[in-house]
Amino acid sequence: MQLTIEDALAVYPLSEGKLAAGKKGISRTISSINLMDAPDVINWMKEGELLLTTAYAIRDSPEEFVNLLQKLNERGASGLGIKLGRYWAEIPEIALLEADRLGLPLIELPFQFTFSEQITALYQSEFQRDTRRLNELLETQKKLVDFAMQADEYTNYFQSITSILGVPLAIVTSEGQTLYNMTRCSDMELLSDWPWNQDNRFYKSASNLLYRVPLLKNGKSYGYLLIQTENLLEAHEMEGIFHQAAVILSYHLEVIQNQEATAAGSRLGTAMERYLKGNASLKTVLEFAEALGSTFWSTPYVCMVSSTRADAWDHESQRRKLREIQNRLQDHPKTSSLESHHFYVMNRIYSLFPLLEEEAKDRRKYENSVRLYADLMHSWDHGTRTCFISKVRTGMEEFIDGFRECGEAERISTELGLSEPVVMFADLEFIYLFKHIPQEVMIRYCSYLFRPLLDKEEEYTSEMMHTLEAYFANNGQVNETARELYIHRNTVLYRLEKISGLLNLDLKNTDHLLLLKLGLMFRHLM
């Protein structure tokens, strides 16, 4: 039972009685009802109970009456109802004064009605109230579901949710920015104890009671929903509804964030195109990059350009494609918590993907991460032919260099006739550095370096050169080389020893390794 004394006095037949004293306590909540005839009933009283009595146990002593009131107040009772006419003709003045002092409601019960009639009436009233309240909650829940199904990007989410819940609310972002505030608190009062933990709680802001719900989706925080409440009991009843509203708002804030990122990326892509065509300054491009408004530039990242078969999409198709990429990345378990940016430059999808600090320091780890991104792009879009990846970059000023590296990786791979789905600039960097060396110089260098091997039989030469290329491609890892060639590691060691002897080079000498690396790259370029 959750009626207040004031509510109970409005229920027939208790309404036929009257509040004799203790008016200050009429907001006390009745949790249950007890009857008293035995003197020791006070030992069994619980907090919130309303005690009904004929006053038989205290019939001979006004002092005992006062003592009973004091003990009831200590126990946290909601009040005392006394039926006059049998043992007391009227309530003693000393008891009335004590009830007023304690703020403990003292009720004169109507004599013509039994205790059971009055108790039954109160429980029936509580049942009707609960039923009515449940129907109201179900109706509110239905409105929220209908709203979630029908709302679109033009809907005023915040105002609509406020109207459905029927209570003042506020929305605060995860950065502490107030997006919407219909409560009595100022923005400064709302954020007085910022930053907040991501938990549900009631708390006081100034003189207002607020209920705070974090807005979470896939483990990512989009902010907080704050509901102003006047009645703590009703707020507890509404908790489930508040959480349902929070789910809807989390989805909406995610959409807003994606749309803002897409719009900012679109502007940045346009600025980059103009810069590459000589129609905009680098300063302008960096201003648009800064407008992404995120902490992205403070972490290591890689740039990726995806070449696609579709090279004449309209702007709406491009926006739809970028939104699809963002949504799928957020749905994927390995990328859902990472912030990435995507936009179009020269009808290419240009993406910026973050790296963890430990990944950026380890070539193998960072390659695994970027290949995951590329694999995802290939699996989502069958029109994607090749993904070109830059080296690890840091800071906003370097993303233009990352784009150029992707462009060089595409150009060099085209010249060399590479058909891999993922091409990393780091693998082609030496070729990029030596691209201006005349071909005649490369031919003479390779002829001199590899002549002792090239003079052997063609099959032998091909086998040895293939082993040497695999050895360098696997960064000198013998086991990895053997696995790639499907031969035993001892066979790899034997072949390398033969190559070393023929070419008169020591594969443990870094200078000799560099000579071989250059020779292999020149062969690729030729």
Side-chain angles (χ1 to χ4, degrees), residues 107-122:
I107 304 168
E108 289 187 15
L109 300 174
F111 184 80
Q112 65 272 30
F113 297 101
T114 64
F115 285 156
S116 64
E117 288 174 319
Q118 296 177 69
I119 292 172
T120 299
L122 290 177

Side-chain angles (χ1 to χ4, degrees), residues 78-258:
S78 58
L80 173 65
I82 182 169
K83 183 179 285 191
L84 300 176
R86 296 190 64 185
Y87 304 107
W88 287 93
E90 59 181 13
I91 299 175
E93 183 66 23
I94 190 174
L96 294 173
L97 293 174
E98 184 63 11
D100 280 332
R101 186 185 73 82
L102 297 172
L104 180 71
L106 185 53
I107 304 168
E108 289 187 15
L109 300 174
F111 184 80
Q112 65 272 30
F113 297 101
T114 64
F115 285 156
S116 64
E117 288 174 319
Q118 296 177 69
I119 292 172
T120 299
L122 290 177
Y123 276 108
Q124 285 179 341
S125 175
E126 175 70 4
F127 176 76
Q128 291 169 358
R129 175 191 172 279
D130 287 347
T131 302
R132 185 171 58 254
R133 186 61 178 156
L134 178 60
N135 288 332
E136 291 173 355
L137 293 176
L138 289 174
E139 182 62 26
T140 301
Q141 187 177 44
K142 179 178 178 297
K143 288 180 180 178
L144 282 175
V145 171
D146 290 343
F147 171 74
M149 297 294 290
Q150 298 171 11
D152 56 31
E153 58 185 307
Y154 303 106
T155 302
N156 189 327
Y157 270 70
F158 301 154
Q159 187 173 327
S160 298
I161 294 289
T162 301
S163 177
I164 292 172
L165 296 182
V167 292
L169 57 85
I171 310 293
V172 176
T173 69
S174 54
E175 292 80 28
Q177 176 189 2
T178 305
L179 295 180
Y180 179 79
N181 184 9
M182 293 298 291
T183 70
R184 287 197 297 266
C185 301
S186 66
D187 292 354
M188 185 177 295
E189 289 171 340
L190 280 179
L191 299 168
S192 60
D193 58 343
W194 180 267
W196 300 328
N197 295 324
Q198 290 186 5
D199 55 0
N200 313 312
R201 64 169 57 192
F202 287 94
Y203 75 105
K204 280 270 191 179
S205 179
S207 59
N208 299 294
L209 180 63
L210 298 168
Y211 182 59
R212 184 171 70 222
V213 186
L215 302 175
L216 302 172
K217 188 173 186 294
N218 294 328
K220 182 177 180 179
S221 172
Y222 289 93
Y224 299 86
L225 167 63
L226 306 170
I227 301 102
Q228 179 183 308
T229 179
E230 307 294 336
N231 187 314
L232 189 59
L233 174 60
E234 288 186 1
H236 277 298
E237 292 176 344
M238 290 279 288
E239 278 190 75
I241 301 294
F242 294 157
H243 284 268
Q244 186 175 346
V247 170
I248 296 172
L249 289 169
S250 299
Y251 171 80
H252 175 56
L253 290 175
E254 180 190 47
V255 170
I256 288 178
Q257 193 175 92
N258 289 346

